[in-house]
């Protein structure tokens, strides 16, 4: 069995008593060792040096009533036992230096003695697992004649032991994750698990977060929802500031981000605070952060780590304490290898990285998102639009089929719903309206194929390598790349590309087949996905 160890302060008032009558008084530290059903193997007793004589007397009394209890005294001198910072710091240092051995010993923290500040600090340290134990609270006897041991209660801060409290916390967590998903009852298991994790990170951390995924996957909306959730929990007091780094160009990039002083350059007629200072106390979302130049990246890194930066033309640093969420549709590790992105900045952003899948990789979520877009249209336009049953069935059959590419992801879906709702006669989307929209989407995606093949492969392989590939193979390779980027995994892409082979049972390993095809062009899955 494990040894039972109790830790607590000496009660300068409650534990006092010099004469034999002290045995008639309830003294909590002594009573701790008088409980019939609670044996204490070791007591770590903390006291001020001025209370040494009382501590010695208590240790002697415990030796009388519980000879098997070892008492170890610890001197802790506090200038002000009611100063929260001093008490917490002293107990924190005590806990960090204490040789806890949870495999061999179980720990009880006595919160009966000590000031209220000390009791609060014990609670916080135990809740944060700096002290791997439980709290114990002793109470005096309720009536005379019951002896002087009194009673005790043990509080286990592991909330899983308390079903009602745990249920409440689970409900609040579900509420938070639903909020992050804009209330959409998504069905994709991997996406739901990712949102659950994002909720925990958002509530417990102020570290930078990196959201990756294709354009239109919802990075901007998710960043704003994270901000609104943290703001509702009083974790942020400032504003949500969003910037698309792809829109920042030339010398004005530094000014836009970090601000400038009057006269810093031609045309700088007044001071400018800049986006980083505008986000002070709030959240800064930097979409397409990979588009920043190396100089701006270096300054962003310092601003994240030190909360300070130098505005353009200034000789005095500005200060801003913000949380950063960065977004990108590129593989920044590839940019690091090519010298386009700073390795140290990526390392700082990469603590929490979440990859948002495209709409085509979450086809089971198209239906709930369809309802969400209809609701948004109603709020925006003040008109409630609904599908005819047959029209809804036909649209969903098309939208969830492998042939539906959703190249712009949720932007495609939002635009599609807006068009059908706007053209709906009498507030009802008909089969005819759906047929027209399907034709419009297919035509749009095909047009994108025709004009985008050269540019798509050039971005991926470079002009020289593309020119070395036969035109026929270029068209085929471009289609493979598009399907890969719209799929959540190598296997999922293989199932789309080799669907006919699967039906004919001519293909047994779609992922391996796709991997070998990409290797013919010196490509791999990750490289294709991120471009």
């Amino acid at each position: 069995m494990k040894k039972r160890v109790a830790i607590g302060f000496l009660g300068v008032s409650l534990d006092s008593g010099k004469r034999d009558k002290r045995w008639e008084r309830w003294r909590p530290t002594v009573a701790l060792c008088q409980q019939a059903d609670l044996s204490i193997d070791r007591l770590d007793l903390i006291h001020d040096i001025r209370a040494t004589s009382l501590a010695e007397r208590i240790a002697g009394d415990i030796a009388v009533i519980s000879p098997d209890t070892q008492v170890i005294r610890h001197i802790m001198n506090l200038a002000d036992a009611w100063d929260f910072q001093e008490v917490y710091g002293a107990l924190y240092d005590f806990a960090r230096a204490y040789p806890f051995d949870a495999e061999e010993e179980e720990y009880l923290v006595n919160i009966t003695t000590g000031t209220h500040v000390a009791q609060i600090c014990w609670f916080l340290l135990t809740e944060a697992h700096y002290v791997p134990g439980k709290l114990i609270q002793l109470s005096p006897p309720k009536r005379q004649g019951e002896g002087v041991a009194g009673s005790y209660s043990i509080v286990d801060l592991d909330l899983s032991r308390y079903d009602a409290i745990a249920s409440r916390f689970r409900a609040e967590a579900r509420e938070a994750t639903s909020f992050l998903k804009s209330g959409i009852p998504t069905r994709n298991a991997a996406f739901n698990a990712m949102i659950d994790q994002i909720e925990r990170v958002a509530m417990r951390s102020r570290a930078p977060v990196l959201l990756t995924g294709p354009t239109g996957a919802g990075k901007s909306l998710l960043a704003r929802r994270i901000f609104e959730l943290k703001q509702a929990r009083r974790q942020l007091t400032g504003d949500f500031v969003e910037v698309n780094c792809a829109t920042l160009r030339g010398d004005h990039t530094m000014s836009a981000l970090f601000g400038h002083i009057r006269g810093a350059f031609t045309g700088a007629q007044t001071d400018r605070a800049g986006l980083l200072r505008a986000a002070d106390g709030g959240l800064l979302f930097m979409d397409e952060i990979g588009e920043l130049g190396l100089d701006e990246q270096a300054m962003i890194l310092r601003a994240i780590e030190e909360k300070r930066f130098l505005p353009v033309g200034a000789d005095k640093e500005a200060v801003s304490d913000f949380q950063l969420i960065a977004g990108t549709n590129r593989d920044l590790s590839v940019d690091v290898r090519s010298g386009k992105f700073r390795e140290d900045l990526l390392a700082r952003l990469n603590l929490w990285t979440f990859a948002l899948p495209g709409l085509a990789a979450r086809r089971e979520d198209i239906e709930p998102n369809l309802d969400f877009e209809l609701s948004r249209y109603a709020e925006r336009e003040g008109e409630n639009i609904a599908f005819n049953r047959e029209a809804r069935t036909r649209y969903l059959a098309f939208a969830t089929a492998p042939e539906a590419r959703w190249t712009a992801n949720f932007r495609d879906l939002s635009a599609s719903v807006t068009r059908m709702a706007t053209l709906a006669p009498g507030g009802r989307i008909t089969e005819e309206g759906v047929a027209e929209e399907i034709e419009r989407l297919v035509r749009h995606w095909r047009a994108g194929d025709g004009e985008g093949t050269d540019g798509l492969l050039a971005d991926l392989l470079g002009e020289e390598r593309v020119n070395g590939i036969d035109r026929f193979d270029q068209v085929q390779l471009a289609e493979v790349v598009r399907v890969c980027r719209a799929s959540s995994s190598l296997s999922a892409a293989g199932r789309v590309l080799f669907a006919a082979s699967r039906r004919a049972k001519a293909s047994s390993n779609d992922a391996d087949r796709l991997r070998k095809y990409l290797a013919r062009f010196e490509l791999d899955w990750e490289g294709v996905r991120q471009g």
Side-chain angles (χ1 to χ4, degrees):
M1 293 181 62
K2 292 182 179 181
K3 290 183 177 181
R4 185 176 287 121
V5 179
I7 305 171
F9 278 99
L10 176 70
V12 178
S13 297
L14 291 175
D15 286 328
S16 64
K18 295 182 180 180
R19 298 176 182 173
D20 291 342
K21 285 189 176 181
R22 70 181 184 273
W23 292 105
E24 300 174 10
R25 297 182 64 239
W26 176 75
R27 294 177 293 164
T29 301
V30 176
L32 178 63
C33 301
Q34 289 179 304
Q35 304 299 319
D37 58 347
L38 184 73
S39 61
I40 302 296
D41 296 294
R42 188 174 76 242
L43 171 62
D44 287 283
L45 190 60
I46 303 171
H47 63 88
D48 190 284
I49 194 170
R50 292 170 294 184
T52 298
S53 60
L54 176 59
E56 290 174 346
R57 186 179 308 114
I58 293 296
D61 290 347
I62 289 174
V64 172
I65 53 105
S66 181
D68 293 332
T69 301
Q70 178 190 15
V71 178
I72 298 178
R73 294 187 291 112
H74 302 269
I75 303 296
M76 183 181 294
N77 295 317
L78 298 170
D80 185 355
W82 295 91
D83 182 274
F84 190 92
Q85 183 172 339
E86 181 183 4
V87 176
Y88 185 87
L91 289 180
Y92 174 83
D93 292 340
F94 173 85
R96 293 300 297 268
Y98 192 95
F100 289 110
D101 184 359
E103 295 293 326
E104 300 294 332
E105 298 176 337
E106 61 177 85
Y107 302 96
L108 297 175
V109 179
N110 185 6
I111 60 170
T112 315
T113 51
T115 64
H116 293 326
V117 170
Q119 293 165 6
I120 292 171
C121 292
W122 276 134
F123 176 89
L124 294 173
L125 289 166
T126 306
E127 184 186 40
H129 303 292
Y130 287 112
V131 179
K134 304 173 185 177
L135 305 179
I136 183 169
Q137 173 77 55
L138 294 125
S139 302
K142 295 180 180 179
R143 291 180 293 272
Q144 288 186 349
E146 292 184 348
V148 293
S151 60
Y152 70 91
S153 60
I154 293 177
V155 181
D156 187 348
L157 293 178
D158 180 1
L159 292 179
S160 65
R161 304 288 182 91
Y162 298 91
D163 291 340
I165 299 175
S167 297
R168 177 178 173 181
F169 273 75
R170 284 194 296 268
E172 289 181 356
R174 285 195 298 270
E175 208 174 285
T177 54
S178 176
F179 180 84
L180 291 178
K181 295 186 295 183
S182 300
I184 304 171
T186 52
R187 303 164 184 169
N188 184 279
F191 179 77
N192 287 340
M194 181 185 69
I195 293 296
D196 287 342
Q197 194 173 79
I198 290 175
E199 184 271 334
R200 293 195 296 273
V201 170
M203 291 298 94
R204 300 178 185 180
S205 174
R206 280 180 55 86
V209 173
L210 179 62
L211 302 178
T212 69
T215 299
K219 297 186 290 293
S220 178
L221 177 61
L222 180 57
R224 180 174 287 277
R225 298 299 277 186
I226 291 172
F227 164 76
E228 291 172 352
L229 181 61
K230 293 176 76 74
Q231 187 183 50
R233 300 291 177 85
R234 305 294 190 272
Q235 294 187 6
L236 295 173
T237 58
D239 296 329
F240 177 80
V241 178
E242 180 176 0
V243 57
N244 188 326
C245 298
T247 65
L248 302 177
R249 288 288 182 269
D251 297 337
H252 293 290
T253 300
M254 284 285 194
S255 173
L257 292 174
F258 307 105
H260 64 248
I261 64 170
R262 180 181 178 183
F265 49 83
T266 303
Q269 298 180 0
T270 59
D271 292 349
R272 181 179 186 180
L275 295 171
L276 268 65
R277 269 195 282 182
D280 187 24
L283 190 147
L284 175 64
F285 176 53
M286 301 186 71
D287 199 11
E288 304 305 341
I289 195 170
E291 299 293 334
L292 285 182
L294 294 174
D295 291 340
E296 290 85 1
Q297 293 174 30
M299 289 188 67
I300 286 292
L301 177 61
R302 182 165 182 256
I304 296 172
E305 294 182 335
E306 301 179 18
K307 310 299 182 186
R308 59 183 66 246
F309 51 90
L310 196 65
V312 178
D315 54 11
K316 181 180 179 181
E317 291 182 323
V319 176
S320 181
D321 185 6
F322 59 87
Q323 181 171 1
L324 176 69
I325 296 182
T328 183
N329 63 1
R330 296 158 57 167
D331 184 349
L332 295 181
S333 62
V334 173
D335 288 349
V336 167
R337 290 193 293 271
S338 65
K340 296 179 181 177
F341 202 82
R342 292 181 63 98
E343 185 175 11
D344 49 4
L345 178 55
L346 178 58
R348 192 69 179 83
L349 296 176
N350 209 26
L351 174 62
W352 298 112
T353 298
F354 299 99
L356 274 62
L359 181 59
R362 294 171 49 198
R363 294 182 188 272
E364 63 269 56
D365 286 341
I366 289 177
E367 184 173 11
N369 273 280
L370 177 64
D371 295 330
F372 173 70
E373 292 298 339
L374 284 171
S375 297
R376 283 216 304 180
Y377 180 88
E379 291 176 6
R380 187 173 63 246
E381 304 298 335
E383 184 180 8
N384 189 39
I385 304 295
F387 279 90
N388 289 340
R389 179 181 299 177
E390 296 79 7
R392 182 183 177 90
T393 300
R394 181 172 180 181
Y395 186 81
L396 285 173
F398 163 77
T400 57
E403 293 75 19
R405 295 177 182 172
W406 301 115
T407 52
N409 296 293
F410 291 94
R411 292 175 184 171
D412 266 353
L413 181 63
S414 179
S416 177
V417 171
T418 297
R419 286 191 292 265
M420 289 188 294
T422 301
L423 298 174
R428 303 289 286 180
I429 300 174
T430 63
E431 278 193 275
E432 182 181 357
V434 166
E436 292 176 358
E437 179 59 24
I438 290 173
E439 182 181 350
R440 187 182 293 111
L441 284 169
V442 170
R443 188 166 60 247
H444 167 69
W445 291 332
R446 284 176 179 170
D449 289 348
E451 66 187 21
T453 297
D454 293 340
L456 176 68
L457 295 182
D459 289 342
L460 188 63
L461 300 171
E463 293 284 354
E464 187 175 344
R465 286 179 62 189
V466 172
N467 291 335
I469 300 174
D470 289 337
R471 185 64 183 173
F472 176 84
D473 290 329
Q474 287 183 29
V475 175
Q476 185 181 60
L477 177 58
E479 174 63 10
V480 170
V481 169
R482 291 189 185 95
V483 172
C484 287
R485 290 181 175 176
S487 302
S488 59
S489 68
L490 192 68
S491 297
R495 286 193 293 271
V496 174
L497 289 166
F498 306 121
S501 300
R502 288 173 60 81
R503 287 193 293 270
K505 296 185 178 180
S507 172
S508 59
N509 192 331
D510 300 329
D512 186 60
R513 188 176 176 186
L514 176 54
R515 188 182 295 108
K516 289 177 179 178
Y517 176 83
L518 293 174
R520 284 175 47 195
F521 302 95
E522 299 179 5
L523 293 171
D524 58 28
W525 167 252
E526 289 300 328
V528 168
R529 280 278 291 171
Q530 300 297 336

